[in-house]
Amino acid sequence: MPVVRIWRRNDGARPAGGAADAEWDLEVRPRRAVLTARIVAALIVAVFAVGGIWLRSGSTGVNFRLADQLAMIAIGLLGAGAVLMLTRPRLRVGPRGVSVRNILGDTLFGWEHIRGVSFPDRKSWARLELVGDDYVPLLAIRSNDKAHAAQAMDRLRELGAKYTEPDEPNQN
């Protein structure tokens, strides 16, 4: 199944007025997961920074140096950066298809490759059903967002019906 991978956000400077967003009818991002990830990232940085600062204050028999303290803080920053990768998921829907960005990279699925969208029972996020019994998780639509997720699913189904309805036959 051919899909288009999008590795860059855009090819140049973003035009003023949101002209780049005009091609998308719907853009969805998770809400609670982003807030949780930001709080966890801040806590990780704080814990590792405090741990790094206090690293030389105890007498454990090990001789810690300034480089060890800085490395401890750097490990905290790397961990926080990894947690912040969970804030990336996004779903965009437009005439060209559905663009899914989970944690790494964007993938654009044309409407001819999409069979539907579902939210399986006891799952944390929705999934985009593709032809050939394949699916792609939609981390942007999460169950813990409740009403926001329900509205996003309704709008996604509405746009799917709009863009996949058969063309009117020619009347000659």
Side-chain angles (χ1 to χ4, degrees):
M1 166 185 26
V3 296
V4 178
R5 295 221 180 259
I6 304 168
W7 296 104
R8 287 179 272 149
R9 289 187 181 210
N10 53 23
D11 291 330
R14 185 179 198 114
D21 293 335
E23 67 180 294
W24 302 110
D25 296 329
L26 173 67
E27 183 169 333
V28 180
R29 290 175 164 269
R31 292 185 178 172
R32 290 185 181 177
V34 169
L35 179 62
T36 302
R38 288 178 180 162
I39 291 170
V40 169
L43 288 173
I44 288 172
V45 168
V47 166
F48 275 82
V50 168
I53 291 169
W54 285 349
L55 196 60
R56 289 175 45 179
S57 65
S59 60
T60 60
V62 179
N63 191 12
F64 290 109
R65 298 190 175 146
L66 179 63
D68 299 318
Q69 288 178 297
L70 294 176
M72 184 80 154
I73 294 170
I75 290 171
L77 290 172
L78 287 173
V83 168
L84 287 176
M85 292 291 287
L86 299 175
T87 65
R88 294 200 60 202
R90 177 185 66 198
L91 173 74
R92 295 191 300 182
V93 182
R96 290 177 35 207
V98 177
S99 175
V100 177
R101 179 172 73 188
N102 285 331
I103 295 181
L104 298 174
D106 283 340
T107 306
L108 178 65
F109 298 95
W111 287 111
E112 65 274 9
H113 303 292
I114 298 172
R115 193 177 69 192
V117 64
S118 65
F119 212 120
D121 289 339
R122 296 188 306 254
K123 297 295 181 187
S124 296
W125 47 75
R127 64 164 103 177
L128 188 66
E129 303 284 342
L130 304 174
V131 293
D133 291 330
D134 200 6
Y135 69 90
V136 175
L138 300 177
L139 299 181
I141 302 177
R142 302 181 67 89
S143 62
N144 64 355
D145 283 335
K146 297 181 181 17
H148 176 68
Q151 291 169 354
M153 288 292 286
D154 289 343
R155 183 74 174 127
L156 178 57
R157 287 182 177 127
E158 180 182 301
L159 289 170
K162 173 183 173 184
Y163 290 122
T164 58
E165 65 186 21
D167 293 330
E168 304 234 356
N170 292 336
Q171 297 181 8
N172 291 331

